[in-house]
Amino acid sequence: MSERVIIFDTTLRDGEQSPGASMNTGEKLRLAIQLEKLGVDVIEAGFPAASEGDLEAVSRIAARLKQAEVAALARASKHDIDEAWKAIQHAAKPRIHTFIATSDIHLEFKLRMRRDEVVAAAVEAVAYAKSLTDNVEFSAEDGSRSDRDFLCRIFEAVIAAGATTINLPDTVGYAIPQEYAELVAYVIAHTPNSRQAVFSVHCHNDLGLATANTIAAIGAGARQAEVTINGIGERAGNTSLEEVVMALHTRSNLMAVESNIRTRYIHPTSRLVSMITGIIVQPNKAIVGANAFAHEAGIHQDGVLKNPMTYEIMKPETVGLTTNTLVLGKHSGRHALRSHLRTMGYDLSNDELALIFKKFKELADKKKQVVDEDLEVIVTEGILRTSDVFKLDYLQVIAGNTVLPMASVRLDINGRQVQGAGYGNGPIDATFNTIAKLAGTSSELLRFSVSALTGGTDAQGEVTVRLRENALVALGKGADPDIITASAKAYVNGLNRLEYLKANPVRDAAVL
Ligand code: KIV
Ligand code: ZN
């Protein structure tokens, strides 16, 4: 019988450390609910000591989830652990995750502590966390560059103090699979009480090896994988959940380890993360990229038509990509929409369905065929994403080759309606200038990109913007068959994210 690997998702904590990828509390809650539905065992909901916003988001997630464990991160300090506990104490299954660096370079230059002091701080933190909950994880930050015998020493001490999960991160994405697997095997074999804890791995993707390292470490005995959806995270990102889960699933002949993940929810969850963070999934991304199951070469297409398994090692349906891109049109009813959304992994309440049905009808009026990609955008934009300060109420644009482009806009700002008009070099410039004036923003537009969701001139355009205001950077995303409307939605979404960042400053700039 296969053993089980615990899937620990840190999209809401390490994933949120991707540049510009802030999520507000409502969005975090939405995503946490989706992660629970996906079958994630442990959801790291945030770092409560880092900001008021994180504390609130973690508390709301903790109060809501019943199946998944909810973890909160804390440095090895009483203050951080108290904040973490404040946020998760009412969770059905709380976990405190405390960490301290163990590599010599971190000890000398960052912590300015000796090894003995680090062990003492780690033990004190774990013992304190254990006085609050039975479920305590300890991480040795920069573990992959730490002395292996020092790791065994600190792990033995924190397990004795009550840690039930021991995490050995490759914090800077430096490890190579064989080396990392050997390190994991070594510390499990040489930590005398290692059997009393689950060993975990947490990899970053700086060398593009995060998934390979995670799989190698599972082969060496790790039984928890720390991952994020779409592999988002600090710098080059974290190990991607979908890659690890599908590698275990697809190569179960080699890896006698399985996860609890309901793979059919992978694709909807990936779309949701991309929509709410604004981070685009690269087209060739394994499992969830737009081209992951697309066959371009004639010889491949021919093979796939004869037997999909000639060139497909996984079925697209397994990860929630319906082959049935059937399509709904303006005569399709509510029942057909609901059942089609179910096959795509979205179970909606009656109220949500009513809203989506209305948006679907509006789109079907503009576009002959509404395909899965369109439905995904309607669902993620319509109900899974929450808007806060600014809402786009109305937009009218005049453009052409003989007129000065002009936009008229009405914005809802915290329930107050403001309207105005403005000019620009083109229709999008006019729209952005007008929105900026009404919103009173001093932010700068760093990036603007448009892509088409599907083929055809009636395809929905998907727009991403990157905005900066002083030291804050936020991404915004919007989709619509009209690319000027999509651009306005993306801009407004970016402004909302900047507002959220302003309202929730990180308390301590040196947190991670
Ligand atoms: O990368 C890392 O070391 C971390 C720890 C806090 C687990 O994110
Ligand atoms: Zn990390």
Side-chain angles (χ1 to χ4, degrees):
M1 220 181 72
S2 290
E3 278 190 64
R4 204 166 69 77
V5 64
I6 296 166
I7 299 295
F8 174 115
D9 181 280
T10 182
T11 308
L12 291 164
R13 199 276 300 168
D14 226 350
E16 213 210 6
Q17 287 175 222
S18 309
S22 60
M23 299 175 233
N24 65 30
T25 304
E27 289 166 340
K28 285 185 180 172
L29 184 60
R30 278 281 177 201
L31 181 51
I33 293 168
Q34 180 70 21
L35 290 171
E36 188 173 60
K37 191 154 142 195
L38 178 64
V40 163
D41 301 288
V42 188
I43 296 173
E44 186 162 56
F47 187 178
S51 74
E52 283 291 342
D54 243 27
L55 195 146
E56 194 209 328
V58 178
S59 311
R60 285 188 56 195
I61 292 166
R64 174 71 184 257
L65 301 189
K66 296 288 168 267
Q67 303 303 322
E69 290 179 27
V70 178
L73 186 68
R75 284 166 295 191
S77 82
K78 182 170 181 305
H79 167 264
D80 274 27
I81 293 171
D82 282 336
E83 295 292 286
W85 185 239
K86 214 189 279 174
I88 57 170
Q89 59 186 323
H90 300 301
K93 301 177 187 170
R95 173 185 293 200
I96 296 176
H97 177 192
T98 185
F99 73 97
I100 192 164
T102 49
S103 64
D104 289 338
I105 185 166
H106 277 236
L107 263 61
E108 184 180 346
F109 295 100
K110 189 180 88 173
L111 298 177
R112 296 180 200 284
M113 286 167 85
R114 286 181 289 106
R115 286 186 177 180
D116 288 347
E117 292 171 322
V118 169
V119 175
V123 167
E124 197 181 332
V126 168
Y128 182 56
K130 191 74 177 186
S131 72
L132 305 169
T133 172
D134 273 346
N135 191 351
V136 178
E137 171 166 343
F138 171 76
S139 281
E141 192 193 7
D142 205 17
S144 61
R145 293 194 301 166
S146 304
D147 176 74
R148 48 177 62 192
D149 293 315
F150 179 54
L151 286 174
C152 297
R153 177 178 157 206
I154 196 165
F155 288 162
E156 182 183 4
V158 294
I159 294 170
T164 42
T165 302
I166 295 295
N167 186 32
L168 202 172
D170 182 27
T171 304
V172 290
Y174 180 72
I176 300 288
Q178 192 180 347
E179 172 197 38
Y180 193 51
E182 279 168 14
L183 178 64
V184 169
Y186 184 91
V187 294
I188 294 177
H190 293 86
T191 301
N193 48 4
S194 65
R195 283 174 173 276
Q196 293 167 34
V198 171
F199 275 72
S200 166
V201 284
H202 172 119
C203 298
H204 282 265
N205 205 28
D206 300 67
L207 293 173
L209 291 171
T211 299
N213 285 335
T214 301
I215 295 290
I218 292 171
R223 284 295 173 268
Q224 175 174 286
E226 302 199 354
V227 291
T228 62
I229 301 292
N230 300 339
I232 66 167
E234 186 88 28
R235 307 183 308 277
N238 287 55
T239 307
S240 114
L241 177 146
E242 59 278 6
E243 291 175 12
V244 169
V245 166
M246 290 314 293
L248 296 178
H249 185 92
T250 308
R251 300 310 311 277
S252 55
N253 57 327
L254 281 185
M255 309 280 308
V257 180
E258 56 190 33
S259 77
N260 270 344
I261 295 298
R262 299 181 191 104
T263 58
R264 68 183 183 284
Y265 291 119
I266 285 178
H267 196 75
T269 312
S270 159
R271 285 291 307 168
L272 174 62
V273 168
S274 173
M275 184 54 76
I276 67 182
T277 59
I279 299 176
I280 299 166
V281 176
Q282 75 194 61
N284 59 325
K285 166 83 178 62
I287 321 293
V288 291
N291 296 345
F293 293 91
H295 300 277
E296 195 70 20
I299 198 165
H300 289 202
Q301 289 173 350
D302 182 54
V304 168
L305 286 173
K306 289 175 175 148
N307 179 347
M309 287 297 150
T310 49
Y311 286 100
E312 274 180 7
I313 58 165
M314 300 163 267
K315 294 198 178 108
E317 308 84 275
T318 310
V319 296
L321 259 178
T322 40
T323 40
N324 176 13
T325 34
L326 148 81
V327 187
L328 300 160
K330 64 179 180 183
H331 301 298
S332 307
R334 193 179 291 241
H335 185 67
L337 179 66
R338 169 174 291 209
S339 74
H340 192 68
L341 286 170
R342 269 209 190 114
T343 66
M344 293 172 64
Y346 299 111
D347 289 317
L348 304 185
S349 69
N350 287 340
D351 286 352
E352 288 172 337
L353 184 69
L355 181 76
I356 296 310
F357 189 63
K358 184 167 165 278
K359 287 181 179 280
F360 157 69
K361 285 285 174 183
E362 282 164 13
L363 184 64
D365 272 340
K366 295 185 199 157
K367 202 169 176 275
K368 280 192 291 299
Q369 297 184 320
V370 178
V371 297
D372 287 358
E373 286 91 338
D374 296 316
L375 289 177
E376 270 169 351
V377 167
I378 297 179
V379 173
T380 44
E381 276 216 324
I383 53 169
L384 301 181
R385 179 206 271 173
T386 54
S387 72
D388 18 19
V389 179
F390 305 107
K391 222 163 84 200
L392 180 69
D393 259 1
Y394 168 93
L395 170 68
Q396 191 184 39
V397 177
I398 301 171
N401 61 356
T402 55
V403 288
L404 190 58
M406 190 189 95
S408 307
V409 176
R410 189 167 66 224
L411 278 189
D412 180 309
I413 307 183
N414 277 329
R416 184 175 53 90
Q417 311 237 302
V418 291
Q419 54 190 0
Y423 296 96
N425 285 332
I428 294 175
D429 193 41
T431 304
F432 282 19
N433 289 343
T434 312
I435 293 175
K437 197 169 60 188
L438 295 175
T441 180
S442 57
S443 61
E444 181 193 354
L445 180 67
L446 298 180
R447 195 182 79 200
F448 171 80
S449 65
V450 192
S451 57
L453 266 179
T454 50
T457 49
D458 67 347
Q460 293 207 73
E462 196 168 30
V463 175
T464 305
V465 298
R466 191 181 178 89
L467 304 178
R468 179 171 58 204
E469 188 169 336
N470 303 320
L472 303 177
V473 175
L475 291 167
K477 208 159 176 173
D480 198 273
D482 173 341
I483 61 159
I484 302 170
T485 306
S487 306
K489 285 181 179 174
Y491 190 46
V492 168
N493 181 238
L495 292 176
N496 278 324
R497 287 177 194 285
L498 278 177
E499 288 307 308
Y500 179 78
L501 291 175
K502 282 189 250 170
N504 293 283
V506 173
R507 288 187 187 125
D508 174 355
V511 277
L512 267 181

